[in-house]
Amino acid sequence: MTTSDFLHEATARGFVFQCTDTEGLDAALRAGMVSGYIGFDATADSLHVGSLVQIMLLRLLQRTGHRPVTLMGGGTTRIGDPSFRDEARQLLSDAQIDSNLAGIRRCFDPFIRFAPPGQTPGPADAVMPNNADWLDKLGYIELLREVGVHFSVNRMLSFDSVKSRLERDQGLTFLEFNYSILQSYDFRELNRRYGVTLQMGGSDQWGNIVSGIDLTRRTDGKQVFGLTTPLITTASGAKMGKSAQGAVWLTADRLPVFDYWQYWRNTEDADVGRFLRLFTDMALGEIARLEVLQGAEINEAKKILATEATTLAHGRAAAEAAAEAARQTFESGELAEALPRVSLALAELGVAVPAFRLFTLAGLAASNAEARRLIRGGGARLDDQPVTDEGFSVSAEALRGGVKLSSGRKHHRLVVAE
């Protein structure tokens, strides 16, 4: 039985899938402050809900008195993690990676406490190193002689992340095959520079984490630990972080706060308790009360989940505004001023705009062709009235006063010409 605050609560909330040495880690957590890290590669300029389990785990580590380390993968992004992917990731330019890193850094600020800019981090303040600082300086022969000698190719081929790729007859490049070695190098380097003794990650990272533990033990004689989280899917089997409209981004410039709130509001009944434990800070006793609600009452629990999860990402005021916008839209039928707003330049619109074009401009369809399909399928509404004619146009004068566009029952925009 775990007695450290972190492991006890992490287990109770459903974060723990595997641990390399539960008793040893528990003892280390009880003995003093532990620094634990999770790595994030810069494959986009924001993170989405699929990364939220890892962020919340780092948050919990800090809430229980330990130090989170959010490792930015400026170096490893140049290779791409092959874990459980059907094909190699697209290689990004250095400029793209730098831009993505700048965007990703914003995602952590609402969840994790860092030292104020210009100040030296305190003992429990999070730190955010970039593995490019050491990986970019490595010499190839040096890496092979000093690190590569400790890796067995036979063992690396046994990793589930590699086997699943090879069993599907998908090529695994030598570039990608090196990813595990570099991730292991990161763990040892973070142990040397920051005293990191715990690496955490999704269950697909188990082989890479164990390799880092072995490298640190073999070369430095240090005891370090690994912990993985389960793969989180919805009750119906859908992958977290995706919606019918695309990725559920954590930053408001990529996804309106209203849509973020709606994503959580639309949680399946069977997931409410689990998601309250994973994605909010609510007390476990209160969660136990909410998750047993039935019928219409479970919708109130979903609204609490939506508001609490949105508060963590965007702040209490924005979360409550999104909740009120949803109430007006779905319960009172009012045109909610707090709906995601899209402003169009009146001078560029002409006399009228085709409705399908409006849906594209509003971000409710990825293209005009998709918008036309939405209209043909009966999923498009303008001011709550069905749009059935692909040739229908909206006057610029009507847009000046604002119109509400809806894609299905859950996705809405307020479009205003200015």
Side-chain angles (χ1 to χ4, degrees):
M1 180 179 178
T2 57
T3 56
S4 63
D5 290 343
F6 172 70
L7 267 186
H8 178 75
E9 188 162 353
T11 302
R13 288 185 175 270
F15 284 105
V16 179
F17 181 66
Q18 288 176 292
C19 184
T20 56
D21 179 0
T22 302
E23 290 185 3
L25 176 58
D26 196 45
L29 290 161
R30 285 186 281 108
M33 189 185 71
V34 167
S35 293
Y37 96 93
I38 298 176
F40 299 86
D41 279 350
T43 54
D45 63 1
S46 177
L47 298 175
H48 59 63
V49 166
S51 298
L52 197 52
V53 167
Q54 311 308 326
I55 296 174
M56 290 299 293
L57 188 59
L58 289 169
R59 178 181 174 84
L60 178 60
L61 187 72
Q62 189 170 55
R63 286 203 297 117
T64 51
H66 304 282
R67 181 171 66 163
V69 177
T70 60
L71 178 65
M72 296 289 95
T76 43
T77 303
R78 298 172 69 182
I79 293 178
D81 185 0
S83 297
F84 295 98
R85 292 186 60 84
D86 290 335
E87 57 187 20
R89 292 185 185 274
Q90 179 185 357
L91 294 181
L92 303 178
S93 69
D94 289 348
Q96 287 174 306
I97 292 172
D98 289 343
S99 176
N100 288 347
L101 286 172
I104 287 173
R105 289 188 181 101
R106 301 172 299 155
C107 298
F108 296 97
D109 289 334
F111 297 92
I112 299 169
R113 186 185 71 254
F114 295 87
Q119 293 190 18
T120 301
D125 286 332
V127 293
M128 187 180 285
N130 183 343
N131 63 16
D133 291 345
W134 52 85
L135 294 182
D136 286 359
K137 299 173 184 176
L138 283 177
Y140 185 60
I141 301 300
E142 171 195 2
L143 178 66
L144 290 178
R145 287 177 59 87
E146 201 266 323
V147 177
V149 68
H150 297 291
F151 284 79
S152 162
V153 171
N154 289 353
R155 185 181 184 190
M156 293 172 72
L157 289 172
S158 73
F159 292 168
D160 287 342
S161 57
V162 174
K163 284 198 303 183
S164 64
R165 180 84 161 264
L166 298 178
E167 287 171 357
R168 291 195 294 270
D169 295 325
Q170 299 291 336
L172 182 71
T173 68
F174 183 68
L175 178 71
E176 296 173 282
F177 194 59
N178 279 272
Y179 191 94
S180 180
I181 296 176
L182 296 184
Q183 185 170 329
S184 301
Y185 191 96
D186 283 344
F187 197 176
R188 189 185 69 173
E189 193 67 19
L190 288 170
N191 178 262
R192 291 176 174 180
R193 294 186 180 215
Y194 298 96
V196 171
T197 54
L198 172 64
Q199 181 181 175
M200 301 178 288
S203 57
D204 59 328
Q205 297 299 313
W206 178 255
N208 294 340
I209 291 173
V210 171
S211 293
I213 291 172
D214 286 348
L215 177 65
T216 306
R217 175 181 57 81
R218 288 171 182 267
T219 60
D220 293 14
K222 298 285 188 66
Q223 182 184 30
V224 292
F225 308 95
L227 182 150
T228 62
T229 60
L231 174 66
I232 304 298
T233 59
T234 66
S236 60
K239 189 176 181 180
M240 288 291 294
K242 300 289 185 180
S243 73
Q245 303 299 311
V248 183
W249 300 103
L250 298 182
T251 48
D253 58 342
R254 293 295 300 268
L255 183 77
V257 177
F258 177 85
D259 287 358
Y260 190 81
W261 190 94
Q262 277 295 118
Y263 173 78
W264 296 107
R265 168 61 181 84
N266 293 327
T267 293
E268 298 176 41
D269 292 1
D271 289 327
V272 171
R274 185 163 60 112
F275 287 1
L276 281 167
R277 281 187 285 271
L278 289 169
F279 302 117
T280 79
D281 293 337
M282 289 183 65
L284 293 172
E286 177 63 8
I287 294 172
R289 182 188 71 81
L290 291 172
E291 69 179 330
V292 297
L293 297 176
Q294 300 292 325
E297 289 185 324
I298 194 67
N299 289 324
E300 295 307 311
K302 293 179 183 181
K303 293 175 186 176
I304 292 172
L305 166 63
T307 299
E308 294 303 314
T310 305
T311 293
L312 290 179
H314 298 290
R316 177 66 64 180
E320 291 181 349
E324 175 59 17
R327 186 196 68 77
Q328 293 179 17
T329 301
F330 300 115
E331 297 176 20
S332 70
E334 301 171 20
L335 179 60
E337 289 296 325
L339 283 177
R341 182 186 178 99
V342 177
S343 296
L344 303 178
L346 188 63
E348 299 176 6
L349 295 179
V351 178
V353 184
F356 67 81
R357 178 63 178 154
L358 280 181
F359 279 89
T360 305
L361 292 171
L364 292 171
S367 65
N368 289 341
E370 183 178 304
R372 288 178 181 274
R373 288 194 294 271
L374 178 68
I375 293 172
R376 289 197 299 270
R381 288 179 174 266
L382 189 151
D383 287 341
D384 297 321
Q385 298 301 311
V387 179
T388 57
D389 180 3
E390 289 183 49
F392 178 75
S393 293
V394 182
S395 71
E397 191 60 34
L399 289 170
R400 188 195 297 272
V403 298
K404 175 186 174 185
L405 298 183
S406 303
S407 171
R409 295 185 298 118
K410 300 173 182 177
H411 302 281
H412 309 272
R413 297 288 186 275
L414 181 63
V415 180
V416 182
E418 301 174 339

